[in-house]
Amino acid sequence: MQTPFSGVTPAEVEKALDRITGGRIPPAGTPKKAGAHPFILERSSGLEGKSVLETPGLVAGDPDKPICSVGVGMTLTENMIELAGAMGLDALIVHHPVADAASSGGVPLKGYLSLYGLALFELHEPFHGLHPGIAYLHGHEVTDFHHAFAGVVGNIVLSGRALPGVCRAEDIIRRLNAFMGYETEQQVLGAKARICSCHTMETSSLLPCPEILSGSPAACVNHILHVFPHTGFTRDHLVRALDLYPDTDTLVVSISRVSKDSQLAAEVRKRGLTLIAGNSHSQEIYENGVPLAMALGHELPGLRLEMFKERMTAVPLEQFGNEQIRNYGREMAKRITGWKNIKPKE
Protein backbone atom coordinates (compact mmCIF):
# COMPACT_ATOMS: atom_id res chain seq x y z
CA MET A 1 0.00 0.00 0.00
CA GLN A 2 1.37 3.39 -1.01
CA THR A 3 2.17 5.74 1.87
CA PRO A 4 0.16 8.99 1.64
CA PHE A 5 2.23 12.05 0.76
CA SER A 6 2.88 13.90 4.02
CA GLY A 7 4.40 16.97 2.46
CA VAL A 8 7.80 18.61 2.46
CA THR A 9 9.21 21.54 4.38
CA PRO A 10 9.88 24.94 2.80
CA ALA A 11 13.59 24.19 3.25
CA GLU A 12 13.18 21.03 1.15
CA VAL A 13 11.40 22.99 -1.58
CA GLU A 14 14.23 25.51 -1.54
CA LYS A 15 16.80 22.70 -1.79
CA ALA A 16 14.88 21.27 -4.76
CA LEU A 17 14.96 24.68 -6.47
CA ASP A 18 18.69 24.82 -5.78
CA ARG A 19 19.18 21.44 -7.44
CA ILE A 20 17.03 22.49 -10.41
CA THR A 21 19.09 25.64 -10.93
CA GLY A 22 22.45 23.96 -10.43
CA GLY A 23 23.24 25.70 -7.14
CA ARG A 24 22.01 29.22 -7.92
CA ILE A 25 19.84 29.72 -4.81
CA PRO A 26 21.53 31.85 -2.12
CA PRO A 27 22.47 29.73 0.94
CA ALA A 28 20.49 30.18 4.15
CA GLY A 29 21.71 33.18 6.08
CA THR A 30 22.85 35.14 3.01
CA PRO A 31 22.12 38.85 3.64
CA LYS A 32 19.18 40.14 1.61
CA LYS A 33 21.04 42.94 -0.06
CA ALA A 34 22.29 43.58 -3.56
CA GLY A 35 25.73 42.15 -4.14
CA ALA A 36 25.57 39.62 -1.33
CA HIS A 37 25.06 36.86 -3.91
CA PRO A 38 25.30 36.85 -7.74
CA PHE A 39 21.53 36.33 -8.02
CA ILE A 40 20.38 38.81 -5.39
CA LEU A 41 19.81 41.76 -7.66
CA GLU A 42 18.30 45.21 -7.30
CA ARG A 43 15.91 46.12 -10.11
CA SER A 44 15.62 49.84 -10.69
CA SER A 45 14.92 52.16 -13.57
CA GLY A 46 15.67 55.23 -11.47
CA LEU A 47 12.07 55.96 -10.51
CA GLU A 48 12.31 57.16 -6.93
CA GLY A 49 11.08 54.61 -4.42
CA LYS A 50 10.20 51.98 -7.04
CA SER A 51 13.20 49.67 -6.99
CA VAL A 52 12.80 46.04 -5.93
CA LEU A 53 15.27 43.46 -4.66
CA GLU A 54 15.25 40.06 -6.32
CA THR A 55 15.77 37.37 -3.63
CA PRO A 56 15.56 33.85 -5.10
CA GLY A 57 14.21 31.09 -2.90
CA LEU A 58 11.89 31.33 0.10
CA VAL A 59 10.44 34.81 0.54
CA ALA A 60 7.87 34.18 3.28
CA GLY A 61 6.19 31.34 5.12
CA ASP A 62 6.19 29.16 8.22
CA PRO A 63 9.43 27.13 8.05
CA ASP A 64 7.79 24.23 9.93
CA LYS A 65 4.53 23.94 7.99
CA PRO A 66 4.47 20.97 5.56
CA ILE A 67 3.85 21.78 1.91
CA CYS A 68 1.68 19.34 -0.02
CA SER A 69 0.38 21.62 -2.79
CA VAL A 70 1.97 24.43 -4.78
CA GLY A 71 0.68 26.96 -7.29
CA VAL A 72 3.18 27.91 -10.01
CA GLY A 73 2.79 31.27 -11.73
CA MET A 74 4.66 34.12 -13.32
CA THR A 75 3.74 37.34 -11.50
CA LEU A 76 2.28 37.45 -8.00
CA THR A 77 -0.96 39.42 -7.64
CA GLU A 78 -3.71 39.61 -5.06
CA ASN A 79 -5.85 37.56 -7.46
CA MET A 80 -3.30 34.74 -7.28
CA ILE A 81 -3.14 34.93 -3.49
CA GLU A 82 -6.93 34.84 -3.21
CA LEU A 83 -7.24 31.90 -5.61
CA ALA A 84 -4.50 29.95 -3.84
CA GLY A 85 -6.18 30.61 -0.50
CA ALA A 86 -9.58 29.50 -1.79
CA MET A 87 -8.04 26.34 -3.24
CA GLY A 88 -6.36 25.49 0.05
CA LEU A 89 -2.86 25.47 -1.44
CA ASP A 90 0.17 25.55 0.84
CA ALA A 91 2.59 27.60 -1.25
CA LEU A 92 3.15 29.68 -4.36
CA ILE A 93 6.22 29.73 -6.59
CA VAL A 94 6.41 32.72 -8.91
CA HIS A 95 8.96 33.58 -11.56
CA HIS A 96 9.13 37.34 -11.21
CA PRO A 97 10.42 39.22 -8.15
CA VAL A 98 7.79 40.17 -5.58
CA ALA A 99 7.40 43.34 -3.53
CA ASP A 100 5.23 44.56 -0.70
CA ALA A 101 2.03 46.25 -1.88
CA ALA A 102 2.88 45.91 -5.58
CA SER A 103 2.37 42.13 -5.45
CA SER A 104 -0.29 42.05 -2.77
CA GLY A 105 -3.11 44.48 -3.44
CA GLY A 106 -1.46 47.51 -1.86
CA VAL A 107 -1.00 45.91 1.57
CA PRO A 108 2.00 44.31 3.33
CA LEU A 109 2.77 41.00 1.68
CA LYS A 110 3.60 38.95 4.79
CA GLY A 111 0.26 39.58 6.48
CA TYR A 112 -1.70 38.77 3.33
CA LEU A 113 0.12 35.47 2.80
CA SER A 114 -0.12 34.40 6.44
CA LEU A 115 -3.87 34.98 6.32
CA TYR A 116 -4.11 31.87 4.15
CA GLY A 117 -1.04 30.07 5.52
CA LEU A 118 0.84 30.43 2.24
CA ALA A 119 4.56 30.06 1.80
CA LEU A 120 6.05 32.03 -1.10
CA PHE A 121 9.08 31.37 -3.28
CA GLU A 122 10.47 33.38 -6.18
CA LEU A 123 12.78 32.11 -8.90
CA HIS A 124 13.60 34.61 -11.62
CA GLU A 125 17.14 35.18 -12.84
CA PRO A 126 18.49 31.85 -11.51
CA PHE A 127 16.04 30.01 -13.77
CA HIS A 128 17.04 31.86 -16.93
CA GLY A 129 19.32 30.00 -19.28
CA LEU A 130 18.67 26.57 -17.76
CA HIS A 131 16.83 25.13 -20.75
CA PRO A 132 16.59 25.87 -24.49
CA GLY A 133 12.79 25.84 -24.51
CA ILE A 134 12.07 29.42 -25.58
CA ALA A 135 14.44 29.04 -28.52
CA TYR A 136 12.97 25.63 -29.35
CA LEU A 137 9.42 26.98 -29.40
CA HIS A 138 10.58 29.76 -31.72
CA GLY A 139 12.11 27.27 -34.12
CA HIS A 140 15.84 27.35 -33.47
CA GLU A 141 18.62 25.59 -31.62
CA VAL A 142 20.87 27.84 -29.55
CA THR A 143 24.48 27.89 -30.68
CA ASP A 144 25.62 30.80 -28.51
CA PHE A 145 24.17 32.42 -25.41
CA HIS A 146 24.72 35.71 -23.53
CA HIS A 147 23.28 36.22 -20.06
CA ALA A 148 24.38 39.86 -19.75
CA PHE A 149 25.00 41.15 -23.26
CA ALA A 150 27.00 44.38 -23.40
CA GLY A 151 27.41 44.15 -19.63
CA VAL A 152 23.70 44.62 -18.90
CA VAL A 153 22.55 42.04 -16.33
CA GLY A 154 19.58 40.10 -17.64
CA ASN A 155 20.06 41.31 -21.22
CA ILE A 156 19.77 37.84 -22.74
CA VAL A 157 20.82 37.30 -26.34
CA LEU A 158 20.54 33.98 -28.16
CA SER A 159 22.14 33.08 -31.45
CA GLY A 160 20.68 29.99 -33.07
CA ARG A 161 20.31 27.83 -36.11
CA ALA A 162 16.88 27.03 -37.56
CA LEU A 163 15.50 23.62 -36.62
CA PRO A 164 14.64 21.06 -39.31
CA GLY A 165 11.33 22.01 -40.92
CA VAL A 166 11.78 25.70 -40.11
CA CYS A 167 12.77 27.13 -43.47
CA ARG A 168 10.76 30.32 -43.83
CA ALA A 169 9.54 33.10 -41.56
CA GLU A 170 5.98 31.83 -41.77
CA ASP A 171 7.11 28.46 -40.37
CA ILE A 172 8.02 30.16 -37.07
CA ILE A 173 4.56 31.74 -36.87
CA ARG A 174 2.83 28.44 -37.59
CA ARG A 175 5.01 26.66 -35.04
CA LEU A 176 4.14 29.13 -32.29
CA ASN A 177 0.44 29.04 -33.13
CA ALA A 178 0.47 25.26 -32.76
CA PHE A 179 2.47 25.08 -29.51
CA MET A 180 0.75 27.93 -27.73
CA GLY A 181 -2.82 27.05 -28.66
CA TYR A 182 -3.77 30.42 -30.12
CA GLU A 183 -6.77 28.84 -31.88
CA THR A 184 -8.15 27.74 -28.52
CA GLU A 185 -7.54 31.21 -27.10
CA GLN A 186 -9.53 32.65 -30.00
CA GLN A 187 -12.42 30.31 -29.21
CA VAL A 188 -12.30 31.24 -25.51
CA LEU A 189 -12.35 34.94 -26.35
CA GLY A 190 -15.19 34.48 -28.85
CA ALA A 191 -17.28 32.55 -26.33
CA LYS A 192 -16.73 35.14 -23.61
CA ALA A 193 -17.52 38.01 -25.99
CA ARG A 194 -20.80 36.33 -27.00
CA ILE A 195 -21.81 35.66 -23.40
CA CYS A 196 -21.03 39.25 -22.40
CA SER A 197 -22.52 40.73 -25.60
CA CYS A 198 -19.25 42.58 -26.13
CA HIS A 199 -17.63 42.21 -29.53
CA THR A 200 -14.71 44.58 -28.97
CA MET A 201 -13.15 42.57 -26.14
CA GLU A 202 -9.38 41.97 -26.25
CA THR A 203 -7.16 39.63 -24.26
CA SER A 204 -3.47 39.55 -23.35
CA SER A 205 -3.37 35.87 -24.35
CA LEU A 206 -4.25 36.67 -27.95
CA LEU A 207 -3.87 40.25 -29.16
CA PRO A 208 -0.04 40.41 -28.93
CA CYS A 209 0.20 37.21 -30.98
CA PRO A 210 3.21 36.23 -33.14
CA GLU A 211 3.60 38.26 -36.33
CA ILE A 212 6.13 39.24 -38.96
CA LEU A 213 6.94 42.90 -38.35
CA SER A 214 9.32 43.32 -41.28
CA GLY A 215 10.06 41.10 -44.26
CA SER A 216 8.22 38.47 -46.24
CA PRO A 217 6.47 35.37 -44.85
CA ALA A 218 8.43 33.42 -47.47
CA ALA A 219 11.80 34.84 -46.38
CA CYS A 220 14.38 32.13 -45.79
CA VAL A 221 15.39 31.45 -42.19
CA ASN A 222 18.76 29.93 -41.36
CA HIS A 223 20.51 31.93 -38.64
CA ILE A 224 18.39 33.53 -35.94
CA LEU A 225 19.24 36.21 -33.40
CA HIS A 226 16.73 36.06 -30.55
CA VAL A 227 16.44 39.00 -28.12
CA PHE A 228 14.11 40.35 -25.45
CA PRO A 229 13.63 44.14 -25.73
CA HIS A 230 12.31 44.64 -22.18
CA THR A 231 15.67 43.52 -20.78
CA GLY A 232 17.33 46.61 -22.23
CA PHE A 233 18.31 45.42 -25.71
CA THR A 234 18.85 48.45 -27.96
CA ARG A 235 19.70 49.30 -31.56
CA ASP A 236 23.36 49.69 -30.57
CA HIS A 237 23.27 46.22 -29.04
CA LEU A 238 21.86 44.89 -32.30
CA VAL A 239 24.77 46.40 -34.23
CA ARG A 240 27.23 44.76 -31.85
CA ALA A 241 25.41 41.42 -32.02
CA LEU A 242 25.38 41.42 -35.83
CA ASP A 243 29.13 42.05 -35.79
CA LEU A 244 29.44 38.90 -33.70
CA TYR A 245 26.97 36.92 -35.81
CA PRO A 246 27.18 38.29 -39.36
CA ASP A 247 25.27 35.32 -40.85
CA THR A 248 22.08 36.37 -39.06
CA ASP A 249 19.12 36.61 -41.42
CA THR A 250 16.27 36.80 -38.88
CA LEU A 251 15.77 38.76 -35.67
CA VAL A 252 13.18 37.37 -33.25
CA VAL A 253 11.94 39.55 -30.40
CA SER A 254 9.86 37.82 -27.76
CA ILE A 255 8.45 38.18 -24.26
CA SER A 256 8.24 41.87 -25.21
CA ARG A 257 8.23 43.43 -28.66
CA VAL A 258 9.08 46.62 -30.54
CA SER A 259 7.03 48.95 -32.70
CA LYS A 260 7.50 48.93 -36.45
CA ASP A 261 8.88 52.48 -36.35
CA SER A 262 11.39 51.85 -33.54
CA GLN A 263 15.13 52.34 -34.01
CA LEU A 264 15.60 48.60 -33.67
CA ALA A 265 13.10 47.85 -36.43
CA ALA A 266 14.63 50.54 -38.63
CA GLU A 267 18.08 48.94 -38.27
CA VAL A 268 16.63 45.54 -39.17
CA ARG A 269 15.04 46.95 -42.34
CA LYS A 270 18.23 48.81 -43.21
CA ARG A 271 20.14 45.52 -43.16
CA GLY A 272 17.49 43.60 -45.09
CA LEU A 273 16.74 41.19 -42.25
CA THR A 274 13.43 39.63 -41.26
CA LEU A 275 11.91 40.83 -37.98
CA ILE A 276 9.52 38.52 -36.15
CA ALA A 277 7.61 39.24 -32.95
CA GLY A 278 7.24 35.94 -31.11
CA ASN A 279 5.40 35.06 -27.93
CA SER A 280 4.43 37.86 -25.56
CA HIS A 281 4.97 37.81 -21.80
CA SER A 282 1.53 36.27 -21.32
CA GLN A 283 2.87 33.00 -22.74
CA GLU A 284 5.82 32.68 -20.37
CA ILE A 285 3.74 30.50 -18.07
CA TYR A 286 4.10 27.88 -20.82
CA GLU A 287 7.68 28.70 -21.79
CA ASN A 288 9.20 28.79 -18.30
CA GLY A 289 6.39 27.89 -15.91
CA VAL A 290 5.67 24.42 -17.27
CA PRO A 291 9.35 23.32 -17.35
CA LEU A 292 9.81 24.62 -13.79
CA ALA A 293 6.73 22.78 -12.51
CA MET A 294 7.72 19.58 -14.31
CA ALA A 295 11.22 19.75 -12.81
CA LEU A 296 9.86 20.42 -9.33
CA GLY A 297 7.46 17.50 -9.63
CA HIS A 298 10.39 15.28 -10.57
CA GLU A 299 12.46 16.47 -7.60
CA LEU A 300 9.58 16.20 -5.12
CA PRO A 301 7.32 13.28 -6.18
CA GLY A 302 3.84 13.47 -4.70
CA LEU A 303 3.73 17.26 -4.60
CA ARG A 304 0.45 18.61 -6.03
CA LEU A 305 1.15 21.27 -8.64
CA GLU A 306 -1.34 23.79 -10.01
CA MET A 307 -0.57 26.17 -12.89
CA PHE A 308 -1.74 29.78 -12.52
CA LYS A 309 -2.32 31.35 -15.95
CA GLU A 310 -3.21 35.00 -16.33
CA ARG A 311 -5.76 36.06 -18.93
CA MET A 312 -6.10 39.83 -18.88
CA THR A 313 -9.06 41.21 -20.83
CA ALA A 314 -9.87 44.73 -21.98
CA VAL A 315 -13.48 45.84 -22.45
CA PRO A 316 -14.88 49.30 -23.34
CA LEU A 317 -16.27 51.00 -20.24
CA GLU A 318 -19.78 51.27 -21.68
CA GLN A 319 -19.88 47.47 -22.12
CA PHE A 320 -18.05 46.47 -18.94
CA GLY A 321 -19.92 44.28 -16.47
CA ASN A 322 -23.73 44.42 -16.55
CA GLU A 323 -26.15 47.32 -16.47
CA GLN A 324 -26.63 47.00 -12.72
CA ILE A 325 -22.91 47.40 -11.99
CA ARG A 326 -22.60 50.23 -14.52
CA ASN A 327 -25.45 52.07 -12.78
CA TYR A 328 -23.61 51.52 -9.50
CA GLY A 329 -20.48 53.01 -11.07
CA ARG A 330 -22.35 56.07 -12.29
CA GLU A 331 -23.89 56.64 -8.85
CA MET A 332 -20.54 56.35 -7.06
CA ALA A 333 -18.88 58.61 -9.63
CA LYS A 334 -21.57 61.23 -9.03
CA ARG A 335 -20.85 61.12 -5.32
CA ILE A 336 -17.11 61.40 -5.95
CA THR A 337 -17.25 64.24 -8.47
CA GLY A 338 -20.56 65.91 -7.69
CA TRP A 339 -21.24 65.98 -11.44
CA LYS A 340 -25.02 66.17 -10.92
CA ASN A 341 -24.45 69.73 -9.78
CA ILE A 342 -22.36 70.66 -12.82
CA LYS A 343 -24.28 72.69 -15.36
CA PRO A 344 -24.23 71.39 -18.94
CA LYS A 345 -22.04 73.32 -21.36
CA GLU A 346 -23.83 75.95 -23.43
Side-chain angles (χ1 to χ4, degrees):
M1 184 176 178
Q2 188 175 11
T3 304
F5 182 66
S6 58
V8 294
T9 65
E12 288 174 304
V13 174
E14 196 167 57
K15 288 178 182 177
L17 296 178
D18 195 50
R19 291 193 297 271
I20 289 168
T21 61
R24 291 180 171 184
I25 303 301
T30 303
K32 303 291 187 180
K33 62 180 182 179
H37 185 272
F39 289 99
I40 296 180
L41 305 167
E42 183 179 23
R43 300 294 187 181
S44 177
S45 57
L47 296 174
E48 188 174 357
K50 295 302 177 184
S51 64
V52 66
L53 192 67
E54 183 172 334
T55 57
L58 181 65
V59 173
D62 182 347
D64 299 318
K65 181 185 176 184
I67 294 173
C68 296
S69 53
V70 175
V72 178
M74 286 292 108
T75 304
L76 185 67
T77 65
E78 67 272 26
N79 292 336
M80 186 183 291
I81 294 171
E82 287 294 321
L83 180 56
M87 292 174 68
L89 299 185
D90 300 314
L92 289 167
I93 297 177
V94 294
H95 184 51
H96 299 130
V98 300
D100 272 319
S103 302
S104 49
V107 301
L109 185 60
K110 186 176 179 180
Y112 205 160
L113 293 168
S114 63
L115 185 65
Y116 300 121
L118 287 166
L120 175 66
F121 303 81
E122 69 176 51
L123 188 67
H124 185 230
E125 211 59 57
F127 194 72
H128 286 164
L130 294 182
H131 66 86
I134 293 179
Y136 175 80
L137 291 171
H138 287 80
H140 66 98
E141 178 184 11
V142 176
T143 55
D144 206 4
F145 170 84
H146 299 264
H147 193 273
F149 191 79
V152 179
V153 175
N155 190 18
I156 296 173
V157 172
L158 312 175
S159 178
R161 188 168 37 247
L163 291 171
V166 177
C167 304
R168 302 182 184 279
E170 60 191 355
D171 294 333
I172 295 177
I173 303 300
R174 278 197 292 265
R175 184 180 178 88
L176 290 171
N177 286 340
F179 268 108
M180 313 317 298
Y182 282 106
E183 183 177 345
T184 300
E185 289 291 344
Q186 184 66 63
Q187 293 171 352
V188 170
L189 179 63
K192 186 172 182 178
R194 286 192 297 275
I195 292 168
C196 297
S197 299
C198 176
H199 302 294
T200 55
M201 186 179 295
E202 302 291 358
T203 175
S204 59
S205 299
L206 192 62
L207 186 60
C209 62
E211 62 176 320
I212 298 171
L213 297 177
S214 180
S216 166
C220 290
V221 173
N222 291 296
H223 298 281
I224 295 172
L225 191 68
H226 192 158
V227 303
F228 310 88
H230 70 294
T231 65
F233 192 85
T234 66
R235 173 196 166 278
D236 290 341
H237 293 160
L238 176 60
V239 172
R240 292 176 62 172
L242 291 176
D243 286 341
L244 287 174
Y245 309 108
D247 292 335
T248 299
D249 51 54
T250 304
L251 178 70
V252 171
V253 295
S254 77
I255 302 292
S256 54
R257 54 186 57 199
V258 296
S259 64
K260 294 180 180 180
D261 59 355
S262 67
Q263 290 185 342
L264 197 65
E267 187 66 28
V268 169
R269 288 193 299 271
K270 174 184 172 182
R271 292 172 178 261
L273 307 179
T274 301
L275 176 59
I276 296 176
N279 283 339
S280 73
H281 229 140
S282 66
Q283 303 302 331
E284 195 178 7
I285 187 62
Y286 296 119
E287 295 176 330
N288 275 324
V290 171
L292 170 59
M294 293 284 188
L296 189 61
H298 177 269
E299 292 291 326
L300 300 173
L303 191 66
R304 173 189 165 198
L305 292 160
E306 299 281 347
M307 303 305 296
F308 280 57
K309 176 174 169 44
E310 302 171 53
R311 183 177 280 109
M312 182 72 69
T313 55
V315 178
L317 174 60
E318 61 273 13
Q319 297 177 7
F320 188 68
N322 55 31
E323 189 57 32
Q324 188 172 354
I325 200 68
R326 289 193 292 272
N327 285 336
Y328 154 82
R330 293 184 190 101
E331 181 58 34
M332 294 304 105
K334 287 178 181 179
R335 297 189 185 193
I336 293 167
T337 64
W339 82 38
K340 61 184 177 182
N341 298 322
I342 298 175
K343 295 181 179 180
K345 291 183 179 179
E346 296 293 335

